[in-house]
Amino acid sequence: MRIVCALLCLSVSVAAAVDDNRSLGDRTRQYLTDLVRIDTSNPTGNETQVAQYLKQAVEAFGIYGEVLGGDPKRMNFIARLRGDGKGRPLLLIAHSDVVPAERSQWSVNPFGGEVHNGYIYGRGTLDAKGLLAAEMAVMVEIKRRNLKLGRDLILLSEADEEVGSTGIQWLMQNAWPKIDAEFALDEGGWILETKDGTRVFQIQTLEKAPVKIVLTARGRAAQRAAPSALDNAIVHLTEAIGRLTRAEQPLRFNATTRRYFRGLSSLGDYDWLATQLPRLENIATMQSAAAQIRMRDPDLDAMLHTTISPITIPKSDANTAEAQIDVRRMPSDSREDVIARLRQIVNDPAVEVSFAPGSQAPATDPSSTMTPLYSAMRRVIGRIYPHDAQVLPFMSPRASTDGSYLRARGMPVYGVPLFLREPGETRIHNADERIAPKSLDEGVELLWQIVLEMAGEN
């Protein structure tokens, strides 16, 4: 009954929007509030509820929308505005699922979309319903103003990004012509503001590839009476996890991180980084340089190597214990290299190290910084922030997106930096996830200008 009532309320909200002349920011805030109130926690997801809402919202303005996918409860959504065909399409992507929210850890209802202490609170405000709301608002505004486009503009809301990437994989296998584009804008980019007010626009061009690893420990009690507590499966598992999390991973300084570090080092907050750059290029001093960087900024350190984090221990007893490990591998590391290295680190015949079931995201080369879309983002950011902006290619230290599947297909994908991420901010995937209305307003305005620069009729 609660879901039915929520969808009815959303239908009324959408219907009322047809005749309004709200600002781009106001419309984005309304869409975000509506989207947060649809609980699409993954596992289970139920993203079809978002797909249906999006279809109602865009069709109220005369934009054709399509709900499609392989699971009736976990559908994707696609909408398209036609251009004159001078250029190939521009694709706007955001995922509709969110990670679960433990209500007891939140100060507000995680699915309430409440404004509290000057922020919009809710699961997905940062990852990635804020982006989805901004993309939809831009598409609606173009249609409402009847602006002419030089290329098609496609909006894609994909299901199951947080767990299995089944949404994007189904679309690529079954509906590729509907999302095939020259370029794509996705999540993964952020704005970092330094102490002197400079804004660093991090355009994600490269990603670490997530790899799920399962550790399965077996105690000797599974075969015969255990002579010692050391043969307990839980002990073996705990020690294996400890070895993995303490082990130094090989350093990989690639073209994207090199350019990003150099750009940062020119800023006052990061002038200390300049002395470490030549040391990172020298194999004899690389490890000590990385250690210095780790002490100053763990996120920068995480851009230099594969990272490992235990995420679940679903079952354990004295005989058998199992844990899942989240590995974010550097693009130059193959899956086989990673698992071989992890097995060597664990070095325990009682612990099996294996890939978790399911598909694994591909590692790809970076999207080029020489494309018209990257250049358009630089121009727009320079116009809006002429005196206090630094635009840099970026590889997120830990996060990954489904953009890697499209990059592997040959499509340049960029994590568009719309929203301000405060230093040390860790609310993505954590309690009290929130976004400031000012950040949302500025972000959708930036997206509006980028889309018009790239897809507007010249």
Side-chain angles (χ1 to χ4, degrees):
M1 180 61 72
R2 173 196 273 175
I3 293 174
V4 172
C5 291
L7 289 175
L8 285 174
C9 291
L10 293 176
S11 298
V12 172
S13 174
V14 170
V18 179
D19 298 322
D20 74 53
N21 292 308
R22 288 179 295 176
S23 69
L24 191 61
D26 285 346
R27 184 171 287 110
T28 305
R29 286 192 294 274
Q30 182 62 63
Y31 289 156
L32 177 57
T33 300
D34 290 347
L35 290 168
V36 166
R37 289 173 179 169
I38 304 174
D39 182 354
T40 52
S41 299
N42 194 1
T44 66
N46 295 315
E47 296 95 333
T48 298
Q49 296 175 45
V50 166
Q52 291 170 340
Y53 166 76
L54 297 176
K55 182 176 173 65
Q56 289 180 335
V58 301
E59 289 190 346
F61 291 89
I63 302 170
Y64 174 72
E66 188 175 4
V67 175
L68 69 171
D71 183 340
K73 294 182 179 180
R74 313 203 64 178
M75 302 294 272
N76 309 284
F77 173 79
I78 298 174
R80 182 185 291 252
L81 288 178
R82 296 287 180 182
D84 62 15
K86 292 179 181 176
R88 293 188 59 228
L90 171 63
L91 176 65
L92 307 180
I93 315 168
H95 61 88
S96 55
D97 62 323
V98 298
V99 298
E102 180 59 51
R103 178 64 180 89
S104 62
Q105 298 177 5
W106 285 64
S107 62
V108 299
N109 177 4
F111 302 105
E114 301 175 25
V115 177
H116 187 63
N117 293 332
Y119 290 87
I120 303 170
Y121 279 71
R123 178 59 85 219
T125 49
L126 294 173
D127 184 22
K129 289 181 176 178
L131 175 61
L132 179 56
E135 290 173 345
M136 185 167 67
V138 165
M139 176 172 274
V140 165
E141 189 69 8
I142 290 172
K143 178 65 175 179
R144 197 179 70 83
R145 297 191 190 186
N146 197 29
L147 299 181
K148 303 300 181 184
L149 297 175
R151 64 177 76 226
D152 288 5
L153 182 66
I154 306 169
L155 171 63
L156 167 62
S157 171
E158 47 149 340
D160 192 32
E161 188 271 352
E162 295 287 3
V163 175
S165 299
T166 57
I168 192 65
Q169 291 183 78
W170 186 94
L171 288 163
M172 291 178 67
Q173 293 167 10
N174 299 278
W176 177 249
K178 296 178 184 294
I179 63 172
D180 185 17
E182 186 172 4
F183 318 102
L185 294 176
D186 196 2
E187 63 172 330
W190 294 96
I191 304 170
L192 174 67
E193 189 168 68
T194 64
K195 292 176 183 177
D196 67 0
T198 299
R199 291 193 168 196
V200 181
F201 289 82
Q202 304 167 327
I203 299 177
Q204 179 156 287
T205 58
L206 181 66
E207 301 179 45
K208 287 183 171 181
V211 182
K212 296 294 191 301
I213 299 291
V214 175
L215 303 183
T216 305
R218 293 180 175 85
R220 292 186 184 177
Q223 304 169 12
R224 58 182 175 81
S228 165
L230 295 178
D231 292 315
N232 186 295
I234 299 174
V235 173
H236 284 286
L237 181 66
T238 302
E239 291 179 348
I241 292 173
R243 292 189 196 102
L244 289 177
T245 54
R246 290 190 301 267
E248 294 280 352
Q249 296 293 321
L251 295 173
R252 307 278 191 251
F253 202 30
N254 59 47
T256 300
T257 51
R258 183 177 289 110
R259 185 169 169 184
Y260 181 71
F261 279 38
R262 285 176 179 168
L264 278 188
S265 70
S266 68
L267 304 175
D269 286 10
Y270 294 92
D271 54 4
W272 58 268
L273 189 58
T275 60
Q276 302 302 329
L277 293 181
R279 301 180 69 231
L280 281 175
E281 302 284 5
N282 186 332
I283 192 169
T285 57
M286 179 180 281
Q287 290 288 350
S288 59
Q292 291 295 317
I293 292 170
R294 186 180 307 128
M295 291 174 58
R296 298 291 297 264
D297 193 321
D299 278 350
L300 290 180
D301 170 67
M303 295 182 196
L304 296 173
H305 56 81
T306 292
T307 50
I308 297 172
S309 176
I311 51 175
T312 60
I313 303 179
K315 62 180 182 178
S316 61
D317 56 38
N319 295 337
T320 304
E322 184 178 285
Q324 189 171 103
I325 307 296
D326 182 47
V327 178
R328 301 298 164 112
R329 64 184 170 102
M330 294 293 284
S332 57
D333 283 349
S334 71
R335 294 170 67 242
E336 291 69 25
D337 289 342
V338 168
I339 199 165
R341 190 161 66 238
L342 299 189
R343 286 169 177 158
Q344 185 176 28
I345 293 169
V346 169
N347 191 27
D348 184 349
V351 179
E352 179 186 355
V353 183
S354 59
F355 292 117
S359 63
Q360 303 279 355
T364 69
D365 292 332
S367 297
S368 173
T369 59
M370 303 299 291
T371 64
L373 178 53
Y374 191 92
S375 298
M377 286 189 280
R378 287 182 59 88
R379 287 195 302 274
V380 170
I381 292 168
R383 282 202 305 266
I384 298 177
Y385 304 93
H387 307 298
D388 55 357
Q390 174 87 281
V391 180
L392 296 173
F394 176 67
M395 182 188 75
S396 175
R398 295 177 182 86
S400 61
T401 77
D402 281 347
S404 60
Y405 288 92
L406 297 174
R407 283 195 190 93
R409 188 75 177 253
M411 185 187 300
V413 181
Y414 301 95
V416 58
L418 300 184
F419 307 129
L420 187 66
R421 189 171 187 179
E422 300 170 8
E425 180 61 69
T426 58
R427 296 194 182 275
I428 294 176
H429 288 195
N430 290 324
D432 284 347
E433 184 179 347
R434 65 195 186 190
I435 189 170
K438 183 175 184 290
S439 181
L440 192 66
D441 290 354
E442 292 178 351
V444 72
E445 178 61 29
L446 178 57
L447 180 64
W448 168 257
Q449 296 292 341
I450 291 170
V451 170
L452 291 186
E453 182 83 6
M454 195 62 216
E457 188 177 56
N458 296 324

